[in-house]
Amino acid sequence: MKALIVDDDLALSDVVSFTMRRAGFDVITAHDGRSALERWEAEDPDIIILDLNLPKLDGLSVCKSIRDEGDTPIIILSVRGDEEDVVKGLELGADDYIVKPFSPRQLVARAEAVLRRAKSAPVTPGPMSAGDFMLDPARNDVRIGDDDNIQLTQLECRLLEVLMLNSGQVLTSASIIDSVWGSEGADRVMLKQLVYRLRRKIESEPSEPVHLITISGVGYSFEV
Amino acid sequence: MKALIVDDDLALSDVVSFTMRRAGFDVITAHDGRSALERWEAEDPDIIILDLNLPKLDGLSVCKSIRDEGDTPIIILSVRGDEEDVVKGLELGADDYIVKPFSPRQLVARAEAVLRRAKSAPVTPGPMSAGDFMLDPARNDVRIGDDDNIQLTQLECRLLEVLMLNSGQVLTSASIIDSVWGSEGADRVMLKQLVYRLRRKIESEPSEPVHLITISGVGYSFEV
DNA sequence: TGAACCTGTTACCATCTTGTGACCCATCTG
DNA sequence: CAGATGGGTCACAAGATGGTAACAGGTTCA
């Protein structure tokens, strides 16, 4: 998750950045309105923490511009006494606001709440099956036939999910990496390692895999 | 959904009523503190929009009375400069507040957010059961099978409530925190601690839980 | 006032996860 | 044949994660 922090008060900006980083966000910062828009376009963050009082281009204009061209969730930072601007901001489509001074915890809680609301689509990743495999992405586990459930790590689970979704098809390493690691990216070595670890859990003879098949020079394929 | 609007400013009251009606609420109104309590008892609304500045019986007293006898969600309307009273109101158990002037959109959004929160952890004090567990949210206690009742703290009770309501499903830490702590927020450490304390009360072998299950990297799940 | 309790905080520890480097083998190629 | 390439296997370490415990401030209640 990537957060864009926009605040011209450097001290506060640092506090906010630190808080968000500790909560697991990648943080980008901007200190005036114009650069905020630039960073937004360049980095495509998942959420924006936006101070209203900005040099060069005020927060409300930033808010409006972003809403005109996209739907990145926005949380407004306002000082007490600024209620009018907050209302304008919310009317412009901001998702929530926090009045300074605020507790770091509140900030994180609101950010996560807004994000959860925004991506309400992939809510219930219901169990899926392919052949003998029953995968439950919510629980990170898989059951093969009538055996006991096998606990997977998150990465293993996402890898198996991608493969099972495209059962029988050959997926290139690049596309698998894209699906599993997302925008962060990863190299082939990491995928190789992950495949190895997953095989040890789901293949009865890991050195002679029958489900997670290597297509040399291309990628991998899941066979039932 | 039934909303009780309490405001002595008739013009504003009309605006609020109209907004809420348009959003699909049935609206009841009251214009002073005393009649507010009467309407509340008579109509049992799902949510209350409460102005603090009221004749006959001020908003904070109304808030307190309602909280003493029930748990209908309350959103406080306050004017600028009233922050002290807002804080008092929140301490008395109000669920959220809005500073005038506010946008209709904001009002509806907040009302729905509060209701969503209330629904996900319904404080409606009806006893509920899941498997061997009989939880009484009104009493903050739980009975497992034929054992003696176990007294819980408020937080423990709300946690168990949320989990039992979604028995068998995996809940993420963030959503649990949202349901248990509400807008105040909390971090994962606090949840971890709460889970630990609850387990010591409801699990016969707290170090090997069979009901309150950890889904590593995701959250927790209640299993019967 | 004082005791009991609730809850947030900090600390410590064990375990798990995951990225990284190393090494091996098979295959391909000049 | 020598070297390059792709892939499997293993071990290690930093960091994340979660369970446990002790403590402190605050509240409640007698």
Side-chain angles (χ1 to χ4, degrees), chain B residues 88-107:
Chain B
K88 280 185 205 155
L90 291 175
E91 278 169 356
L92 282 175
D95 295 82
D96 207 344
Y97 70 95
I98 302 187
V99 177
K100 305 185 220 177
F102 52 87
S103 73
R105 177 177 180 166
Q106 188 186 359
L107 174 64

Side-chain angles (χ1 to χ4, degrees), chain B residues 187-203:
Chain B
D187 54 28
R188 289 190 169 62
V189 181
M190 287 159 66
L191 176 58
K192 179 175 78 168
Q193 199 41 236
L194 185 60
V195 166
Y196 172 60
R197 283 166 173 154
L198 180 55
R199 273 190 184 139
R200 288 209 296 192
K201 293 192 179 181
I202 64 169
E203 298 278 3

Side-chain angles (χ1 to χ4, degrees), chain A residues 40 63-70:
Chain A
W40 171 67
C63 189
K64 183 163 176 356
S65 301
I66 290 176
R67 262 301 159 281
D68 283 347
E69 294 173 45

Side-chain angles (χ1 to χ4, degrees), chain B residues 24-80:
Chain B
F25 288 85
D26 290 339
V27 171
I28 321 153
T29 57
H31 303 294
D32 64 78
R34 206 154 319 147
S35 62
L37 285 179
E38 286 165 13
R39 305 302 307 262
W40 171 66
E41 280 194 273
E43 302 272 0
D44 187 30
D46 297 288
I47 190 169
I48 300 170
I49 316 287
L50 177 66
D51 188 16
L52 286 186
N53 183 25
L54 291 175
K56 291 196 183 160
L57 187 63
D58 74 287
L60 286 180
S61 307
V62 174
C63 188
K64 181 163 177 356
S65 300
I66 291 175
R67 264 299 160 281
D68 283 347
E69 293 174 45
D71 38 30
T72 317
I74 298 176
I75 295 182
I76 291 177
L77 288 185
S78 85
V79 293
R80 186 176 306 175

Side-chain angles (χ1 to χ4, degrees), chain A residues 83 87 90-91 97 105 139, chain B residues 80 101 106 110 168 221 223:
Chain A
E83 284 82 6
V87 171
L90 290 170
E91 279 169 351
Y97 71 95
R105 191 176 292 158
R139 292 195 145 70
Chain B
R80 186 176 306 175
Q106 188 186 359
R110 299 244 159 174
S221 162
E223 308 285 339

Side-chain angles (χ1 to χ4, degrees), chain B residues 8-27:
Chain B
D8 66 323
D9 178 343
L10 290 184
L12 184 59
S13 175
D14 279 353
V15 174
V16 174
S17 299
F18 175 75
T19 305
M20 294 295 283
R21 274 208 190 86
R22 202 180 42 179
F25 288 85
D26 290 339
V27 171

